[in-house]
Amino acid sequence: MKRRTVLAAPLAVPFATALAGAVAGPAAAAPATAGKVRELLGKLTLDEKISLLHQWQPAIPRLGMKAFRTGTEALHGLAWLGPATVFPQAVGLASTWDPELIRKVGEAVGDEVRGLQHERPDGWGLNVWAPVVNLLRDPRWGRNEEGYSEDPYLTGVISTAYAGGLTGGDPDNLKTAPLVKHYLANNNEVRRDQTSSDLRPRVFKEYEEPAYRAAISADAACGVMTAYNLVNGRPCTVTDLNSSVRTWTDRTLLNVTDAWAPNNLPANGSQKYFDTLAEADAAILKAGLDSFTTDDTNGEPTAAAVKEALAQGLLTEGDIDTAVRHILDIRARLGDFDADGGPYGHLDKSVIDSPAHRRLARRTAAEAVVLLKNDRGALPLDAGKLRKVAVVGPLADTLYTDWYSGELPYEITPLKGITDRLGAGAEVTTGEGVDRIALKNAATGRYVTAGGGGADAALAEDATAAGENEQFDLFGWGEGVVTLRAVVNGKVVGQRDGQFYADQDQPNGWFVSQLFRPEEQDDGTVVLRYAGYEDWFGDAVYLRARDEDGVLVLGTAAEASRYTLETLRDGVEEAVAAARAADTAIVVVGSMPFINARETDDREEMGLGETQSALVRAVLAANPKTVVVVENSYPTTLTWEQEHVPALVWTTHAGQETGRALADVLFGDVNPAGRLTQTWYRSVDDLPSILEYDNIKYERTYQYFTGEVLYPFGHGLSYTTFRYGRPRLLRGGVAVSVTNTGRREGAEVVQLYTRQRSSRVKQPLKKLQAFTKVSLKPGETRTVTLPLTRRALAHWDVTRERWVVERSTYDVLVGASSGDIRGRTKLTVAGETVPPRNLRRTTRAENFDDYAGVRLVDESKPRGTAVGAESAGAWLLFADADLHRGARRLTARVAKESPGAGTVEVRLGAPDGRLAGTVQVDSTGSRYAYTEVRAGLKGAFHRQDVYLVLSEGLRLADFSLR
């Protein structure tokens, strides 16, 4: 391959990942908007200004200001406000790899939000809480369905497109005011308000920050919501946004807290970061947030705390004015102060679930489908040749929504979509593949009954035979969790006020109360453990029959009723019978979004539910022409299925048009072009703890993972084939020809990656730099150009705290996925050579090269990161330091809260290498009380790897060797 040399040039601006072609630069607010804001701000009283700081802003009639609320949910459609178009979950939207399509989805959702502006129902507002840009670095995260990708560039592109659609494209005249959430590094749900995400500078600058920066720097998003978790020991609710987020644009931003997060901060909250709510709320405003999402609709506690902070001198009225100015600016740009509502004031309810939006929902759901495997052309199915098709599985004839879904205006299930597509020419048989059971008390012989299924009919043991009222369908969701659906009324059983009722269409609610775990006993009976999301029942989590009337209530394990579980209908046998008699079997399996993983609940396992896996194996054994559709919200360890099933298709929960979209793909009316936005691992054992946020050290995501994957990032098959030409380097980009070598028209997602061959630091194995989706007819060739700038090759140099492009050879890789590279060339860049570390300068401790036994911690409550030793012998590496003719003195700024003395050792070459010096650190009495200590050094000459070895409990902010 011909080499091309790019001449060295300094980086003029910080590296940022953003949508190519987005707004070139920020602009100041329109003069009319600024004038209106100044006018209102000058007329508001202090009490009125304070009232505007809460999520539910009251009307101020004397100034003509209506009530305003932040926080309409719009993750993949207008949510929580009645029927509206439901698009695929966010991870499905990103799986289209089609930013123009996602922009149209955003426009449609923005229209539907505006559609309620004349009615203004409770819970509605024009500040929308979307998109979610938290990176999907760990597929076990409970909220995986809400994000886009494990890759910051792809996340930035899709989020900018969606948010840009929500705004309408004109930052001065906003259709809605979207914000990105949740800032920062929130990718675990377990104890999320108490866990701290350690972000070393490279992980923050190269991985986390670009995902949030993209939409804001493109003026497509109007602010951020802060996360519940801590980062480097500091709650995100008081992380300084003025020195980060607000520097990404010259436009005014409206930043908000997450729900109830302010109340986590004081001494009576979970984080206990401040003594009082007044201190906490003052810190929130000082950090650059403007709106308090807390106490539901009640703004009084916030107002009281802010007034107390003013009285104590923790805030000034100027601080209040700053936040209120931001709020008013966004409202003005939304047309909230215009009599006619501004440019979008004409939109009404007719736009909600419009025919155009239905068509868009179907198209988007189809483009989101990913063909994982297609052995010997098992797909597409030929509808003209099929006489009998079995569509089976627990998700075959149902659609599930998630916590942030809207209400489905109608439901096209997989069964209906496939049946309608086949028409009268083929017979479609079905079965959910779940057992129908009865529960008989082994001691009394009485059956559990749904009592006719009425809303007030509590489950009880009061029947002597298993009639319709006593029959339940048993759905298995994995990890031992099941749900029970009463046959008499088709409703799911859940707990309410300590009793159990069959009264819900699907599991739902913040506290999901429809979950059970059957536990088999030594005598063959089972007890039912209640597994709902509430955690306040203590040991009383087993179902027992109340003595006086047989009503099922909660009790201890010793009190639990023991049941004989009678199988009245074998679900697998039913599905197998349908499959055996069919030309083709389609098995639809997957997740229930309120059960397997969701907000507050991470996954522990990554496979299909045990009963679903058994169903797939049984159907395949009965009919080798089996297609498996996996409908869930995250990567799944389909290791057995990939090896044995002829065709595998993945879709997220894709909304009202799921069934038609699936049929479009299965029968070839749409050639699948979805691509995975995450690495699909072969085993949960391939992953470190979900709490480890250092992707570089712990080798997460396609960028650093060195093991064998099930499906690589970017993977997705087509019903046609594509040939790539040799990539050619251009000024500012790469050109490659792509030819459709098959017999069907299809779309290919051409992906551009780079790899730096040599570096001072550990570099990604591959890094996505650009992509484009190109549609080609059979035999058609098109040359596509993918942007590649010198800036995109930069990484964060911790030795000098700035971006650097190193002198190196870079592999330029073009292909169909990160694991399917079709062409490559190389680029020689005359960049910088990072000089040896100069430890004579004061060096921030967080700027280490490697570490063990430490955590990143808050240097002070307002700002700064230090390093805290978690165990004896903890160490930090500062590689390749030039000590010249000798460093003679260590100076370090340290804190030690615990009693007694500790030490900092300077060692050379290894953590247990030659000791150059030791300094004793006495207790400073507080983790935030730093003192400067000094010690003499011996033998610290020339270029060395310098290790600082810290004793347990010591915090190190910075140091120098001179």
Side-chain angles (χ1 to χ4, degrees):
M1 296 281 181
K2 183 179 179 181
R3 294 188 181 185
R4 178 175 178 182
T5 299
V6 177
L7 297 178
L11 290 177
V13 295
F15 169 70
T17 301
L19 176 64
V23 179
T33 299
K36 184 64 175 178
V37 170
R38 283 195 301 271
E39 177 191 352
L40 289 173
L41 191 61
K43 294 179 177 179
L44 289 164
T45 68
L46 178 59
D47 283 348
E48 289 170 338
K49 286 186 282 191
I50 291 173
S51 76
L52 298 180
L53 299 178
H54 191 264
Q55 178 189 20
W56 294 77
Q57 302 172 26
I60 304 177
R62 71 180 188 85
L63 297 178
M65 293 176 61
K66 306 182 188 75
F68 186 86
R69 176 185 184 271
T70 65
T72 297
E73 298 292 354
L75 183 60
H76 54 109
L78 172 64
W80 300 6
L81 293 168
T85 308
V86 179
F87 293 94
Q89 291 176 308
V91 69
L93 296 179
S95 298
T96 67
W97 289 61
D98 190 338
E100 180 57 26
L101 174 63
I102 302 311
R103 182 187 63 79
K104 292 178 181 177
V105 173
E107 289 176 346
V109 176
D111 284 350
E112 297 202 5
V113 173
R114 277 279 180 175
L116 295 177
Q117 64 188 335
H118 301 294
E119 298 181 2
R120 302 173 71 90
D122 289 343
W124 171 87
L126 291 175
N127 170 232
V128 295
W129 288 354
V132 170
V133 300
N134 296 91
L135 292 165
L136 307 183
R137 62 173 189 102
D138 194 306
R140 295 168 295 187
W141 184 37
R143 303 181 75 169
N144 196 87
E145 66 199 28
E146 298 181 37
Y148 292 132
S149 174
E150 68 183 34
D151 181 76
Y153 175 79
L154 179 58
T155 295
V157 169
I158 299 299
S159 63
T160 301
Y162 188 67
L166 287 168
T167 66
D170 180 358
D172 292 326
N173 296 282
L174 298 169
K175 182 187 296 184
T176 69
L179 55 79
V180 294
K181 59 180 188 177
H182 312 80
Y183 188 85
L184 172 74
N186 175 197
N187 199 215
N188 64 274
E189 293 302 294
V190 176
R191 301 185 310 280
R192 60 182 178 169
D193 58 331
Q194 299 172 57
T195 59
S196 180
S197 307
D198 283 15
L199 295 185
R200 59 196 280 198
R202 279 195 66 200
V203 175
F204 172 66
K205 289 289 188 180
E206 297 174 24
Y207 188 70
E208 286 284 345
E209 186 180 64
Y212 299 89
R213 185 169 187 161
I216 289 176
S217 64
D219 288 334
C222 301
V224 302
M225 171 190 280
T226 50
Y228 286 117
N229 58 291
L230 300 86
V231 168
N232 298 348
R234 181 178 297 106
C236 289
T237 312
V238 289
T239 292
D240 182 17
L241 304 181
N242 296 311
S243 62
S244 57
V245 173
R246 292 196 185 276
T247 68
W248 301 341
T249 177
D250 285 343
R251 290 194 179 274
T252 297
L253 300 177
L254 168 59
N255 299 324
V256 309
T257 75
D258 208 338
W260 293 85
N263 290 2
N264 293 336
L265 292 168
N268 61 351
S270 60
Q271 293 173 335
K272 306 184 189 309
Y273 203 68
F274 299 98
D275 290 334
T276 66
L277 186 61
E279 292 175 80
D281 284 3
I284 289 171
L285 289 171
K286 291 282 193 181
L289 283 98
D290 310 301
S291 180
F292 293 79
T293 312
T294 189
D295 302 305
D296 294 327
T297 62
N298 182 11
E300 287 304 314
T302 295
V306 169
K307 290 176 183 178
E308 179 64 23
L310 286 167
Q312 294 181 20
L314 302 173
L315 288 173
T316 67
E317 188 169 352
D319 295 321
I320 309 300
D321 286 351
T322 296
V324 172
R325 186 180 298 111
H326 298 157
I327 294 166
L328 295 176
D329 182 275
I330 295 297
R331 290 180 61 171
R333 287 155 61 192
L334 284 165
D336 192 52
F337 305 134
D338 299 337
D340 61 357
Y344 300 102
H346 65 284
L347 293 172
D348 59 25
K349 286 188 71 172
S350 64
V351 301
I352 296 176
D353 188 37
S354 66
H357 291 180
R358 291 184 175 194
R359 291 191 294 272
L360 183 61
R362 179 174 179 175
R363 176 190 167 190
T364 307
E367 288 202 31
V369 171
V370 180
L371 181 60
L372 299 174
K373 179 186 178 182
N374 193 22
D375 193 19
R376 294 189 293 276
L379 290 176
L381 301 173
D382 188 339
K385 295 181 179 179
L386 295 173
R387 295 293 173 262
K388 195 168 188 179
V389 175
V391 182
V392 300
L395 278 74
D397 196 26
T398 189
L399 295 183
Y400 286 126
T401 54
D402 60 56
W403 178 249
Y404 291 104
S405 287
E407 181 182 333
L408 294 169
Y410 59 90
E411 299 181 29
I412 307 299
T413 68
L415 176 63
K416 178 169 176 51
I418 292 166
T419 301
D420 289 352
R421 175 62 178 81
L422 287 170
E427 178 186 356
V428 178
T429 58
T430 190
E432 292 176 300
V434 301
D435 290 345
R436 181 159 292 176
I437 67 162
L439 294 166
K440 180 180 179 181
N441 189 305
T444 67
R446 292 192 172 273
Y447 287 86
V448 173
T449 178
D456 297 324
L459 268 63
E461 295 177 6
D462 63 359
T464 57
E468 186 181 44
N469 281 336
E470 291 70 49
Q471 297 179 28
F472 301 89
D473 293 328
L474 184 70
F475 289 78
W477 299 107
E479 300 185 34
V481 171
V482 303
T483 53
L484 296 167
R485 186 182 64 195
V487 172
V488 67
N489 65 358
K491 300 290 188 179
V492 179
V493 175
Q495 183 271 145
R496 174 161 46 92
D497 299 326
Q499 298 180 15
F500 295 86
Y501 302 85
D503 62 353
Q504 297 296 310
D505 291 331
Q506 70 174 50
N508 62 83
W510 183 256
F511 294 107
V512 185
S513 64
Q514 293 84 21
L515 313 183
F516 302 91
R517 281 193 175 92
E519 296 180 357
E520 188 170 348
Q521 305 300 296
D522 292 341
D523 60 1
T525 63
V526 298
V527 296
L528 286 180
R529 181 186 179 98
Y530 175 62
Y533 279 34
E534 307 96 318
D535 59 1
W536 53 73
F537 296 112
D539 294 331
V541 291
Y542 289 89
L543 273 63
R544 68 176 180 87
R546 201 159 57 192
D547 292 339
E548 58 269 28
D549 53 10
V551 170
L552 296 186
V553 293
L554 290 170
T556 65
E559 298 170 322
S561 294
R562 294 195 173 207
Y563 296 108
T564 300
L565 194 154
E566 297 180 357
T567 301
L568 308 177
R569 183 193 68 194
D570 189 309
V572 171
E573 285 186 4
E574 181 185 59
V576 164
R580 187 177 290 117
D583 300 323
T584 292
I586 301 170
V587 187
V588 189
V589 292
S591 71
M592 199 285 137
F594 279 85
I595 297 176
N596 297 88
R598 58 155 288 181
E599 188 168 0
T600 74
D601 187 34
D602 297 315
R603 287 192 295 167
E604 295 181 5
E605 302 294 334
M606 300 201 305
L608 289 175
E610 299 87 349
T611 57
Q612 295 187 24
S613 181
L615 174 66
V616 169
R617 295 177 189 228
V619 170
L620 179 62
N623 188 336
K625 294 183 179 180
T626 290
V627 176
V628 172
V629 176
V630 179
E631 186 180 333
N632 65 18
S633 312
Y634 33 68
T636 308
T637 51
L638 302 173
T639 310
W640 186 93
E641 291 79 5
Q642 169 62 25
E643 184 177 348
H644 294 93
V645 176
L648 288 170
V649 170
W650 176 81
T651 177
T652 191
H653 295 281
Q656 63 211 53
E657 288 285 349
T658 297
R660 274 194 276 258
L662 275 172
D664 288 342
V665 171
L666 293 174
F667 293 100
D669 302 321
V670 170
N671 194 340
R675 300 293 184 264
L676 299 179
T677 66
Q678 294 175 266
T679 302
W680 284 41
Y681 299 94
R682 301 185 68 85
S683 169
V684 71
D685 295 333
D686 290 332
L687 294 168
S689 164
I690 196 172
L691 299 177
E692 297 290 1
Y693 277 75
D694 189 343
N695 290 354
I696 300 173
K697 186 177 182 69
Y698 292 97
E699 299 183 340
R700 274 186 204 274
T701 80
Y702 80 95
Q703 291 190 357
Y704 292 98
F705 183 68
T706 58
E708 181 184 358
V709 302
L710 181 63
Y711 304 117
F713 171 82
H715 171 74
L717 304 178
S718 170
Y719 294 151
T720 189
T721 54
F722 300 93
R723 183 179 67 241
Y724 285 63
R726 177 177 295 183
R728 294 179 293 109
L729 294 172
L730 307 174
R731 184 176 181 82
V734 177
V736 62
S737 63
V738 183
T739 302
N740 183 341
T741 55
R743 298 180 180 179
R744 291 176 176 266
E745 182 175 356
E748 174 73 326
V749 179
V750 183
Q751 301 164 42
L752 172 66
Y753 298 87
T754 60
R755 182 178 72 88
Q756 185 174 340
R757 292 187 183 179
S758 59
S759 175
R760 180 191 175 276
V761 296
K762 185 177 182 178
Q763 289 287 351
L765 303 170
K766 294 186 184 75
K767 181 180 178 183
L768 181 69
Q769 299 286 13
F771 65 89
T772 189
K773 196 170 191 175
V774 56
S775 294
L776 298 171
K777 297 177 180 178
E780 183 182 2
T781 298
R782 190 177 304 170
T783 297
V784 299
T785 300
L786 300 158
L788 180 63
T789 64
R790 186 176 185 277
R791 188 186 310 167
L793 303 176
H795 72 270
W796 186 253
D797 175 23
V798 295
T799 72
R800 296 171 294 174
E801 299 187 12
R802 65 176 179 84
W803 293 100
V804 61
V805 175
E806 287 183 293
R807 179 186 301 273
S808 184
T809 297
Y810 296 77
D811 290 321
V812 179
L813 313 168
V814 177
S817 78
S818 64
D820 184 8
I821 301 302
R822 305 290 186 86
R824 64 183 65 219
T825 187
K826 56 188 176 182
L827 180 66
T828 300
V829 177
E832 297 182 62
T833 297
V834 177
R837 275 189 180 271
N838 179 5
L839 297 182
R840 294 179 62 84
R841 293 192 304 242
T842 298
T843 298
R844 299 289 303 173
E846 65 180 313
N847 286 324
F848 48 72
D849 290 296
D850 198 4
Y851 59 96
V854 301
R855 295 294 307 272
L856 293 171
V857 296
D858 51 336
E859 180 181 353
S860 69
K861 289 185 178 180
R863 62 188 55 84
T865 296
V867 175
E870 293 284 293
S871 58
W875 55 263
L876 303 173
L877 165 62
F878 299 87
D880 190 27
D882 190 350
L883 304 180
H884 302 285
R885 296 181 180 178
R888 302 182 184 278
R889 185 179 64 199
L890 162 69
T891 302
R893 200 159 55 88
V894 293
K896 189 175 187 295
E897 184 172 39
S898 56
T903 60
V904 179
E905 297 178 347
V906 179
R907 292 186 176 269
L908 305 177
D912 57 354
R914 184 161 57 84
L915 180 64
T918 302
V919 62
Q920 179 172 300
V921 180
D922 295 324
S923 174
T924 62
S926 167
R927 67 187 65 185
Y928 302 122
Y930 285 84
T931 186
E932 189 171 272
V933 295
R934 295 181 178 84
L937 302 176
K938 293 183 179 180
F941 297 99
H942 310 307
R943 289 176 70 163
Q944 301 271 3
D945 286 346
V946 173
Y947 288 80
L948 299 186
V949 182
L950 314 177
S951 59
E952 184 177 1
L954 190 146
R955 287 185 168 205
L956 174 65
D958 53 53
F959 73 99
S960 64
L961 304 182
R962 295 175 180 164

